[in-house]
């Protein structure tokens, strides 16, 4: 019997006989190994409409783009205006405000686009908007390097609301802003207790994100610091050691009582498990997949970074938006690009029947905040 309720990154000791071993015993990656597991490739084919060869090629191109991004940012210096990955060409485009920096950025392997506003200017405008009190009809806002503006997402049904209009007016005073209508307001993806699911705290079910040494990271809205956590079988795992929500949406839980961590994102019995080998940040436009206890493997694309999401409970900052669907109980689960950990599921709108969008809190921010080390293969 497949234990479909088990979380993304925790396994019981009885799984050792099935071939899962602690990270220290996992073989180091080699240059000849496949760029991704069969399960990840299968999910990308299903959700992104790719062939297997296209999925393999895209993962390879995204890995190169991720490496180029850091070099291009350094080459551009203060003229850096952001970057995004183009899945059609397999290249990274970097925006710069100075033509004098173009050649140096091209030398890194990136395509260059000249823009008016630098990333620093756009980030400053977004920070000014973050200081405003957003009404419920404003869903989120983020810097869009491709548009070279701050995008404010407004719920279509609320666009004529006086408070929404006033917010948009004040947002435009902060800098270059464009307004986009969205279908629904975002919400978190926690769920009531259901038997056979990965972990519980109180009457809430959520999903485990990524293994760290000593525990795992997950979403902050799933539990407050000190809250006890039990596993799919009802046995005690540990406690929330730190938790932040709203403002942020991250937490970490310590692991004990016979449980231990491995650098694996589970495939839920339908796809192969995926090893985690690092946490290099994927660029905008890159493919990304998510594993959660309710809807299992789902894939899509990175749509935006550093987005402020306006939940009913309050705004959450520095989120990444994706086209991946999610449903109740997927909160806290792992977002992964290739074999690189990206973040933990926070919330969104829609579902996996009709589609939607989902945000995650970047994993590197969580690791830095709590001084944790990602468990990698």
């Amino acid at each position: 019997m497949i234990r479909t309720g088990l979380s993304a990154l925790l396994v019981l000791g009885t799984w050792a006989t099935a071939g899962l071993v602690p990270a220290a015993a996992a073989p180091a990656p080699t240059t000849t190994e496949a760029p991704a597991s069969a399960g990840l490739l299968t999910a990308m084919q299903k959700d992104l409409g790719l062939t297997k060869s296209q999925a393999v090629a895209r993962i390879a191109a995204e890995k190169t783009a991720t490496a180029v991004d850091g070099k291009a940012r350094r080459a551009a210096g203060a003229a850096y205006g952001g970057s995004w990955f183009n899945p059609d060409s397999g290249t990274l485009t970097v925006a710069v405000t100075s033509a004098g920096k173009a050649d140096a950025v091209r030398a890194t392997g990136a395509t260059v686009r000249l823009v008016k506003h630098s990333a620093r200017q756009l980030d400053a405008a977004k920070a000014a908007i973050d200081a405003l009190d957003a009404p419920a009809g404003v869903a989120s806002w983020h810097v869009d390097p491709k548009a070279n503006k701050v995008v404010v997402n407004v719920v279509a049904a609320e666009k004529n609301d006086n408070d929404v209009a006033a917010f948009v007016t004040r947002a435009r005073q902060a800098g270059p802003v464009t307004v986009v209508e969205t279908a629904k307001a975002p919400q978190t993806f926690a769920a009531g207790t259901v038997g056979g699911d990965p972990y519980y705290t109180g009457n809430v079910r959520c999903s485990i994100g990524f293994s760290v040494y000593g525990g795992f990271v997950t979403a902050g809205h799933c539990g407050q610091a000190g809250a006890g956590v039990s596993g799919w079988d009802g046995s005690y795992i540990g406690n929330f050691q730190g938790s932040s929500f709203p403002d942020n949406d991250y937490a970490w839980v310590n692991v004990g009582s016979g449980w231990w961590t491995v650098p694996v994102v589970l495939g839920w019995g339908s796809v192969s498990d995926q090893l985690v080998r690092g946490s290099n940040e994927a660029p905008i436009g890159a493919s990304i997949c998510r594993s959660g206890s309710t809807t299992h493997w789902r894939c899509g694309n990175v749509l935006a970074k550093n987005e402020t999401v306006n939940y009913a409970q309050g705004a959450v900052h520095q989120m990444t938006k994706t086209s991946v669907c999610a449903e109740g109980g997927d909160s806290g689960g792992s977002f992964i690009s290739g074999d690189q950990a990206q973040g933990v599921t926070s919330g969104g709108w829609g579902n996996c029947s009709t589609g939607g969008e989902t945000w995650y809190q970047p994993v590197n921010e969580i690791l830095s905040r709590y001084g944790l080390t990602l468990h990698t293969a």
Side-chain angles (χ1 to χ4, degrees):
M1 179 179 68
I2 298 171
R3 289 171 176 168
T4 55
L6 195 59
S7 67
L9 290 176
L10 251 89
V11 294
L12 286 173
T14 53
W15 274 45
T17 57
L20 289 177
V21 294
T30 67
T31 56
T32 58
E33 67 187 357
S37 72
L40 181 59
L41 295 176
T42 298
M44 290 179 67
Q45 292 173 70
K46 175 179 178 292
D47 292 336
L48 298 179
L50 305 175
T51 65
K52 182 177 180 180
S53 60
Q54 288 172 332
V56 170
R58 180 159 175 176
I59 289 173
E62 289 170 354
K63 184 175 182 179
T64 298
T66 299
V68 167
D69 197 17
K71 298 176 184 177
R73 183 189 293 264
R74 291 190 291 272
Y80 179 75
S83 64
W84 59 93
F85 177 77
N86 186 329
D88 294 329
S89 64
T91 58
L92 184 78
T93 299
V94 175
V96 295
T97 58
S98 170
K101 293 290 188 178
D103 288 342
V105 173
R106 289 192 187 96
T108 68
T111 299
V112 173
R113 178 184 293 181
L114 289 175
V115 296
K116 181 178 180 180
H117 307 288
S118 69
R120 186 175 301 172
Q121 290 171 322
L122 293 174
D123 287 343
K126 179 185 174 293
I129 298 173
D130 283 343
L132 302 179
D133 185 15
V138 178
S140 63
W141 53 94
H142 69 274
V143 170
D144 184 347
K146 196 171 184 178
N148 200 228
K149 293 181 178 181
V150 178
V151 175
V152 175
N153 295 287
V154 173
V155 179
E158 303 290 333
K159 65 180 180 180
N160 295 322
D161 178 83
N162 289 338
D163 291 338
V164 171
F167 179 89
V168 170
T169 297
R170 295 183 66 188
R172 292 188 188 281
Q173 296 171 355
V177 165
T178 186
V179 177
V180 174
E181 293 182 16
T182 186
K184 297 180 181 179
Q187 60 184 2
T188 56
F189 283 127
T193 300
V194 177
D197 291 306
Y199 85 85
Y200 312 101
T201 176
N203 66 342
V204 172
R205 168 171 64 87
C206 282
S207 301
I208 292 166
F210 292 97
S211 286
V212 296
Y213 285 96
F216 65 84
V217 293
T218 187
H221 71 262
C222 291
Q224 297 180 344
V229 173
S230 58
W232 66 274
D233 61 349
S235 66
Y236 172 74
I237 294 176
N239 294 78
F240 278 83
Q241 299 298 302
S243 179
S244 178
F245 180 79
D247 188 28
N248 304 293
D249 193 6
Y250 51 58
W252 83 280
V253 176
N254 69 319
V255 169
S257 303
W259 294 73
W260 69 81
T261 62
V262 291
V264 172
V265 175
L266 291 182
W268 305 101
S270 59
V271 298
S272 302
D273 299 339
Q274 176 66 36
L275 287 175
V276 178
R277 294 195 169 98
S279 58
N280 293 326
E281 185 178 344
I284 293 172
S287 64
I288 194 164
C289 295
R290 179 191 56 71
S291 182
S293 63
T294 300
T295 57
H296 302 172
W297 272 104
R298 302 286 174 163
C299 294
N301 300 303
V302 177
L303 300 178
K305 295 184 179 182
N306 191 23
E307 182 153 20
T308 299
V309 180
N310 191 33
Y311 291 130
Q313 300 92 332
V316 177
H317 305 92
Q318 296 179 312
M319 301 265 269
T320 298
K321 180 165 66 177
T322 76
S323 62
V324 186
C325 67
E327 296 181 9
D330 286 327
S331 279
S334 43
F335 266 90
I336 189 166
S337 182
D339 57 10
Q340 300 295 304
Q342 298 298 309
V344 300
T345 303
S346 174
W349 61 268
N351 54 53
C352 289
S353 296
T354 60
E357 294 175 336
T358 302
W359 285 264
Y360 66 81
Q361 188 89 66
V363 69
N364 287 331
E365 180 185 356
I366 308 172
L367 300 176
S368 176
R369 169 61 180 84
Y370 294 119
L372 302 170
T373 301
L374 186 68
H375 204 164
T376 58

